Amino acid sequence: MTGLRERKKAATKAALGDAAWSLCVEHGLDGVTVEQIAHAAGVSLRTFFNYFSSKEEAVVAGDSTMAEAFVQAFTLRPAGEPVLVALREALNSLYPRHVDLDRLRQLRELRRTPALLPHLFNAYSAREQELTAAIAVRCGVDADEDPYPAVAASTFLASMRAVVQWWLDTPQASERYTAAELVGKMIDQLGAGFTR
């Protein structure tokens, strides 16, 4: 159980990330300052820099926080559960059945900002490394000796990104499937080796 101080720090970090995201969606990355983000979150500029080195880092904070929560949920799954089952159940425990499509589309557009790309890549790389380590522990292997954890983490995350992108870009896809249904189908296909 986390203490009060840790919860307050997490809440402040989340408030800064939410403020950065909201302001940048509304005004564009170049139209927002760190001072505006700190003000919107109700903290000082110094407090902002205690959590983030730049507004770009703050914008991708929500992705990083969700990724950390996902890896944590994966590690808490029962030890005997197969990797793909544990991945599916970890996702199901975190992601709502009904996703805010407008927010996802706004986030997708914001992610296309060139200045965010290095930050997104760093966050994605950290997510992949954390998931690789968690899969290695679950499988009882050394990720330096066996490529399976890295391949599984990389394949899963790339598949997730592709599924969500398809879901957002395909007309009526969100009317035919929930995000959870599509992720389930993707995991089934991964488990079957992409055979049809």
Side-chain angles (χ1 to χ4, degrees):
M1 182 173 189
T2 59
L4 178 61
R5 184 167 188 235
E6 289 80 17
R7 289 193 305 272
K8 282 185 174 183
K9 287 174 77 172
T12 299
K13 186 174 183 177
L16 284 164
D18 288 345
W21 183 85
S22 297
L23 288 169
C24 288
V25 164
E26 185 176 344
H27 303 289
L29 185 68
D30 292 335
V32 176
T33 65
V34 171
E35 291 82 2
Q36 290 170 317
I37 295 168
H39 178 74
V43 300
S44 69
L45 190 58
R46 180 178 174 174
T47 298
F48 176 92
F49 285 111
N50 286 338
Y51 291 90
F52 301 110
S53 63
S54 66
K55 65 183 175 184
E56 293 83 2
E57 187 180 333
V59 168
V60 300
D63 283 352
S64 298
T65 301
M66 182 58 88
E68 290 167 9
F70 168 69
V71 172
Q72 180 67 23
F74 174 77
T75 61
L76 293 175
R77 298 298 308 161
E81 209 168 50
V83 170
L84 288 177
V85 173
L87 288 168
R88 179 198 312 260
E89 295 306 318
L91 277 174
N92 286 340
S93 73
L94 292 177
Y95 292 100
R97 293 254 176 235
H98 302 286
V99 176
D100 183 344
L101 288 174
D102 289 333
R103 182 176 169 97
L104 276 177
R105 287 187 177 110
Q106 291 168 338
L107 184 57
R108 181 185 61 191
E109 291 306 312
L110 191 58
R111 285 178 176 161
R112 291 179 176 164
T113 306
L116 282 179
L117 293 178
H119 300 277
L120 289 167
F121 179 78
N122 288 341
Y124 186 84
S125 179
R127 177 187 312 172
E128 188 173 305
Q129 290 172 9
E130 291 165 4
L131 187 55
T132 296
I135 290 171
V137 168
R138 175 168 292 277
C139 295
V141 300
D142 182 343
D144 292 331
E145 302 290 329
D146 186 339
Y148 175 79
V151 170
S154 177
T155 302
F156 179 78
L157 292 173
S159 297
M160 281 290 301
R161 191 173 61 248
V163 164
V164 171
Q165 187 73 38
W166 180 87
W167 191 59
L168 290 172
D169 290 343
T170 303
Q172 289 86 36
S174 63
E175 295 169 14
R176 295 189 322 227
Y177 307 101
T178 66
E181 288 170 336
L182 273 181
V183 168
K185 288 170 70 91
M186 182 264 311
I187 291 172
D188 291 343
Q189 287 179 332
L190 285 175
F194 290 110
T195 57
R196 285 213 162 214

